[in-house]
Each structure stands twice: as structure tokens, then as C-alpha cells.
Amino acid sequence: GDWWDEVDEEEDEDEDGSFEATVPAEWQRVMSTRALREASPLPLGDLLSAIGELVESKVKLDAADLEPGQSRASMPSHVWQWATEQHGAHKLAEAALASIVKGVEASWRTHKSVRLLGELCGMVKEPHEEAVNRRVLGLVPSLCDAAPIAPTLVGEGEKATVPVSRATSAIASLDLSEPALEKLDAFTAADAAAP
């Protein structure tokens, strides 16, 4: 299978085998604990469809030039914006976000795309810096045999350029296939050789 296919991970679990995702700080401000408690997991097919839309739209947004004074949205903020655009009313967007969290909890071990969303939003591991997230998102099309989107590979301000090695270490837990790992190794080697 491809790198986005099934995974077999057993970390981040409690003793009873359950896993509780970390709710991103941006979502904690807009989502009640009641919504999270009452939410059902988004079915895997719907979750994968949403993840595809979210990653594609975030990569495209990050590739676009910023207006002066404008900053890039974090991945959790982007997901919230997407949910509000999809569902309109705050309560519906909040319920959709809670279902995504529950879906990640239910399926993060089953599918690598779910793990990717969890990683990028800081639900599965400690959140990455936004510059590292942009670098990871920039590598995703390359791993899928699409052209890399260069503007996403550049950090901003003090971050300057983020080394590929920082991104590859950030996505190491995705348990990538051998061809994808070979591509990442090639990126890392080329990045290290660059002046």
C-alpha cells in the first residue's frame, strides 16, 4: 500500500487500549466539553474525505502570497474555518469539530491520513511549530508523486527556512512506506548538501 494506507501503531494508548486526542488550543476556545462528550466519531470515509479537502486547501493557501500584515493560519485554525464554512452556524461547526476529534481518536491507528491530521493539529502528539507544519505540508504532494509546492517550504520571520530534517522527524511517527521513506531521505540529503 501507499504511505496513506493503514498503520499499525500502539503508542499513545491508555492501559485499556483507548486513546484520547488532545483538543488543539484554538478549538478549546470555541468548542464546549459538552459538544465533545456528546459527539459521535465521524465515520472513516467521511473523515478521509474531509482530511483530503483540508490538506489540499491548506497546501494551496500556504502556497499563495500573503498580503502585507497578513499571517498564515495554523492548521487547527484552518480546520475551524473550514468547519464554519461547511456548516454555517457555530453550534453545527462545533459539533463537526467534535466529531473530527472523536474520529481521530477512533481511527488514528487505522489510517495514516488520520494520523497526519492528528499530527498537524497537535491532537496525537505535541503540536509542531507552524513553520515545521508548513514544511510537512509541502512534502506531502512530493510523497504522492505530485510536484512539491515550494512556497510552503519556507518559514517566516526568525524561522527562515525550515530544514527538511525537522519535517521528516515531525512525520516519522506516520510509519511511512519504504518508497516514501526513500523520497524523504533524498530530500534530507539534498537539503543538507544545499549551501
Side-chain angles (χ1 to χ4, degrees), residues 23-31 76-77 79-80 97 101 121 123:
V23 177
E26 292 97 325
W27 299 358
Q28 292 173 16
R29 293 191 294 267
V30 295
M31 183 179 7
S77 294
V79 174
W80 170 250
L97 219 52
V101 172
C121 288
M123 288 187 272

Side-chain angles (χ1 to χ4, degrees), residues 120 126-135 159 162 166:
L120 292 174
E126 289 298 312
H128 307 129
E129 296 172 47
E130 281 309 305
V132 173
N133 274 0
R134 280 195 300 279
R135 188 75 180 215
K159 303 293 185 217
V162 177
R166 296 260 320 271

Side-chain angles (χ1 to χ4, degrees), residues 1-97:
D2 291 305
W3 70 272
W4 55 82
D5 290 341
E6 295 181 12
V7 294
D8 182 22
E9 294 278 343
E10 296 186 13
E11 58 189 60
D12 297 334
E13 290 184 22
D14 294 332
E15 290 177 14
D16 64 358
S18 64
F19 165 74
E20 187 173 327
T22 302
V23 177
E26 292 97 325
W27 299 358
Q28 292 173 16
R29 293 191 294 267
V30 295
M31 183 179 7
S32 69
T33 54
R34 180 180 179 184
L36 193 57
R37 189 173 55 248
E38 295 177 354
S40 297
L42 194 60
L44 182 58
D46 295 339
L47 183 59
L48 293 175
S49 176
I51 291 168
E53 287 181 40
L54 287 163
V55 170
E56 181 180 355
S57 61
K58 179 70 169 135
V59 168
K60 287 179 180 176
L61 281 173
D62 282 359
D65 292 333
L66 291 174
E67 296 294 323
Q70 191 180 24
S71 62
R72 298 194 194 286
S74 68
M75 190 64 177
S77 294
H78 178 70
V79 174
W80 170 250
Q81 182 65 35
W82 176 86
T84 57
E85 289 171 4
Q86 294 290 313
H87 301 283
H90 176 88
K91 286 291 181 192
L92 294 175
E94 178 186 34
L97 219 52

